[in-house]
Amino acid sequence: MSDIARTPEPPYYAVIFSSHRTEGDNGYGEMADRMLELAARQPGFLGVESVREGLGITVSYWDSLESISEWKRNTEHREAQRLGRKKWYSNFRVRVAKIEREYGI
Amino acid sequence: MSDIARTPEPPYYAVIFSSHRTEGDNGYGEMADRMLELAARQPGFLGVESVREGLGITVSYWDSLESISEWKRNTEHREAQRLGRKKWYSNFRVRVAKIEREYGI
């Protein structure tokens, strides 16, 4: 189970990835695990929260827009993006955001 | 089931609400439905995506920081926030973000 990310004082950045999956696994589970592992090793990665219940929402947190761009250009990640568009997702939106305020319990 | 929100061209704003629930319903389900209904009627509301699988992630989208502040000050919502801290959530983070880029399939 995904946990709440421990992020630093804002400002920092987030990628909100909202998606619907196609039917069947088709290698998706393995790729998703691998991408989480790979993202966590990227420079500037701050944390991730991920949930699916029909709709999937994955929010990854980053120290800068440059770190997000580098992750987007990662070779293995590019291949996952290609397969995602081709066979894993029936629909998705990616939103890149600047976190301006944060509070909690 | 929640769907992917149809949001306008950026920039616009998002509230990312990540939470863990306490045990038992204790009126939570009814309140959650009511808050979605109420938020959707607020000025500046653009859409919402909500998923729970242990961790819950709800992302609501707004046209401005002012609309987010007004929603936060809504009387019924304030009471829900109070009860949320007191009994519904064991942990939560609220992150207010400016959406700068968006793309999808």
Side-chain angles (χ1 to χ4, degrees):
Chain A
M1 188 176 83
S2 188
D3 212 340
I4 297 177
R6 291 161 186 274
T7 40
E9 283 288 301
Y12 58 91
Y13 291 84
V15 179
I16 306 168
F17 180 73
S18 310
S19 66
H20 283 295
R21 290 266 291 107
T22 50
E23 292 288 315
D25 186 70
N26 304 312
Y28 172 79
E30 198 182 326
M31 175 284 300
D33 291 347
R34 173 70 181 151
M35 286 305 116
L36 284 180
E37 186 194 324
L38 217 55
R41 297 204 307 241
Q42 283 282 309
F45 175 84
L46 300 176
V48 66
E49 297 166 354
S50 189
V51 186
R52 180 171 300 280
E53 182 199 8
L55 176 66
I57 304 177
T58 297
V59 189
S60 58
Y61 300 102
W62 302 87
D63 68 352
S64 66
L65 290 174
E66 292 66 35
S67 296
I68 292 172
S69 296
E70 273 182 46
W71 169 233
K72 201 181 171 198
R73 284 195 302 265
N74 174 286
T75 308
E76 253 188 89
H77 187 206
R78 282 175 67 110
E79 175 63 5
Q81 290 168 55
R82 191 184 68 80
L83 292 173
R85 285 177 182 271
K86 191 176 162 192
K87 64 177 187 178
W88 289 319
Y89 301 114
S90 57
N91 191 11
F92 72 77
R93 297 304 290 171
V94 177
R95 295 178 175 101
V96 179
K98 182 179 186 178
I99 307 288
E100 302 190 341
R101 282 207 307 276
E102 174 172 351
Y103 58 92
I105 279 183
Chain B
M1 187 177 83
S2 189
D3 212 338
I4 297 177
R6 292 162 187 272
T7 40
E9 284 288 302
Y12 56 92
Y13 291 83
V15 179
I16 306 167
F17 180 73
S18 310
S19 66
H20 282 295
R21 290 267 291 109
T22 50
E23 292 288 315
D25 185 72
N26 303 311
Y28 172 79
E30 197 181 329
M31 174 284 297
D33 290 347
R34 173 70 180 152
M35 286 305 117
L36 284 180
E37 184 193 323
L38 217 55
R41 296 206 305 242
Q42 282 283 310
F45 174 84
L46 300 176
V48 65
E49 297 166 356
S50 189
V51 187
R52 179 170 300 280
E53 182 200 6
L55 177 65
I57 303 178
T58 297
V59 189
S60 59
Y61 300 102
W62 302 86
D63 68 351
S64 66
L65 289 173
E66 292 67 33
S67 296
I68 293 172
S69 296
E70 273 182 45
W71 168 233
K72 200 180 170 199
R73 285 195 302 266
N74 173 286
T75 309
E76 253 187 88
H77 187 205
R78 282 176 68 111
E79 175 63 5
Q81 289 168 55
R82 191 184 69 79
L83 293 172
R85 286 177 182 272
K86 191 175 164 194
K87 64 177 186 178
W88 289 319
Y89 301 114
S90 57
N91 190 12
F92 73 77
R93 297 306 287 172
V94 177
R95 295 177 173 102
V96 179
K98 182 178 186 177
I99 307 288
E100 301 190 342
R101 279 207 310 276
E102 173 172 351
Y103 58 93
I105 279 184

